[in-house]
Amino acid sequence: MEELIRKADVLIEALPYIQKFYGKTIVIKYGGHAMVDEDLKLSFANDIVLMKYIGIRPVIVHGGGPQIGDMLKKLNIKTEFVSGMRVTDAETMNVVEMVLAGKINKDIVRLINKNGGVAIGLSGKDGNLVRAEKLRLEDDPTFIRTPEIIDLGHVGKVKSVNVGVLEKLADSYIPVIAPVGVGDDYEAYNINADLVAGSIAAALKAEKLVLLTDVPYVMDKEKNRISTIHLNDVDRMKLDEVVTGGMIPKVDCAAEAVRGGVKKAHIIDGRVQHSVLLEMFTTSGIGTQIVE
């Protein structure tokens, strides 16, 4: 009986959050270890299905860098990285699109549907959902300039988002989006999944953007969790080297989404089972939130 009462207490704790988020759009960037470990994949699918059944509109954007690398290796196609970005020629782009929009996207859709949801898979090319333009290295503030001019090929950034496509779908389905955009030349472009998720969240004026990562949260110099970051503190925290390395683009992406109209952005540990529910429906949460 005590165990049953504890379960009831958990539901009661979640009730005000369920009421608050009913009918709201939550954009979730799904990637990292959560896409590889079988238990975590099942946990994520169940989280998303539960959210849909209690009246929340989840929209998923997924990554797939390691899987792309594995496929390129199998096909004996050499790959090169510059400033952390994969140089993507036409041959590589074909593989990127095949892995992201084909294999990974449909695997996520199948998993959600298998666990009681009704998901529909898209890439940014479908319905001109994500219009892209070529990313040039000078657009990236972390790029270390070199004497030679480096062309990243089919690497893009988000130019615009066709929210009409998602508004129509999100009421009845769970959209699952591969981060492949389409340019004005109607060529495909590989875009960082965090950036796509942030742009879609801002375009939809989502209640939340949730970024699943392979780190617990943003930590201070004593390795303690920073539960909340305000927009006006982001630049100072980078200068003070509180936010460093691979966390910089995550925090920048979250901050840009909030500036674009998202109520809150969250950086959470995707290696924790039911991490999305724990962040959204508990008082303390488990990650770091970025707010205005």
Side-chain angles (χ1 to χ4, degrees):
M1 182 61 70
E2 289 180 358
E3 178 64 22
L4 293 173
I5 292 171
R6 279 194 292 270
K7 288 181 179 179
D9 286 339
V10 170
L11 293 173
I12 294 301
E13 181 183 0
L15 178 59
Y17 301 102
I18 294 171
Q19 292 170 322
K20 180 178 180 180
F21 301 139
Y22 181 85
K24 301 295 177 62
T25 300
I26 310 294
V27 177
I28 302 160
K29 187 270 178 164
Y30 179 44
H33 200 67
M35 283 180 60
V36 179
D37 182 275
E38 292 300 323
D39 290 336
L40 293 176
K41 286 162 65 175
L42 179 59
S43 165
F44 175 80
N46 284 327
D47 287 0
I48 298 302
V49 172
L50 174 61
M51 289 167 63
K52 187 67 176 178
Y53 270 95
I54 61 176
I56 296 171
R57 306 198 319 164
V59 175
I60 301 163
V61 179
H62 64 83
Q67 294 90 332
I68 292 169
D70 290 343
M71 181 59 71
L72 290 170
K73 188 174 181 180
K74 288 178 182 177
L75 296 174
N76 200 28
I77 299 174
K78 292 183 179 180
T79 189
E80 179 185 358
F81 287 86
V82 177
S83 288
M85 291 175 284
R86 189 189 305 275
V87 178
T88 307
D89 59 15
E91 184 181 29
T92 303
M93 188 63 224
N94 286 336
V95 176
V96 168
E97 192 167 7
M98 175 181 69
V99 173
L100 287 177
K103 182 70 169 70
I104 296 176
N105 187 271
K106 302 316 173 191
D107 281 351
I108 297 169
V109 168
R110 177 189 59 80
L111 186 63
I112 291 173
N113 291 347
K114 182 180 178 181
N115 287 277
V118 184
I120 185 167
L122 304 164
S123 82
K125 294 173 73 174
D126 293 310
N128 289 324
L129 173 59
V130 178
R131 298 305 299 256
E133 58 186 354
K134 188 179 180 68
L135 177 68
R136 304 183 189 281
L137 282 173
E138 54 265 30
D139 298 330
D140 180 7
T142 65
F143 172 57
I144 301 173
R145 296 187 179 278
T146 59
E148 68 272 21
I149 297 174
I150 301 173
D151 185 355
L152 293 173
H154 291 257
V155 176
K157 60 181 180 179
V158 178
K159 183 178 179 181
S160 63
V161 176
N162 181 3
V163 292
V165 174
L166 290 179
E167 289 289 2
K168 288 181 173 66
L169 289 173
D171 284 335
S172 302
Y173 304 99
I174 300 170
V176 179
I177 302 163
V180 175
V182 61
D184 292 339
D185 52 4
Y186 288 92
E187 292 288 333
Y189 285 87
N190 183 20
I191 310 176
N192 177 278
D194 288 345
L195 299 180
V196 173
S199 296
I200 287 175
L204 289 170
K205 303 300 180 189
E207 184 75 13
K208 290 180 181 292
L209 167 67
V210 181
L211 302 175
L212 269 64
T213 69
D214 284 344
V215 294
Y217 31 67
V218 181
M219 294 180 279
D220 62 22
K221 291 186 176 181
E222 285 72 44
K223 306 299 181 185
N224 299 312
R225 174 168 76 116
I226 300 174
S227 60
T228 301
I229 297 174
H230 295 91
L231 284 184
N232 55 9
D233 291 329
V234 169
D235 289 340
R236 176 186 56 79
M237 293 175 74
K238 290 191 289 186
L239 287 173
D240 292 346
E241 297 187 345
V242 174
V243 176
T244 60
M247 189 57 76
I248 291 176
K250 299 282 185 187
V251 171
D252 283 345
C253 171
E256 192 62 30
V258 173
R259 291 189 189 100
V262 177
K263 295 283 184 64
K264 289 184 180 181
H266 302 254
I267 297 172
I268 66 173
D269 191 349
R271 300 169 300 179
V272 175
Q273 285 198 359
H274 303 297
S275 56
V276 176
L277 297 186
L278 290 170
E279 179 66 11
M280 287 186 57
F281 297 141
T282 62
T283 304
S284 60
I286 63 167
T288 298
Q289 64 177 2
I290 291 84
V291 300
E292 188 172 4

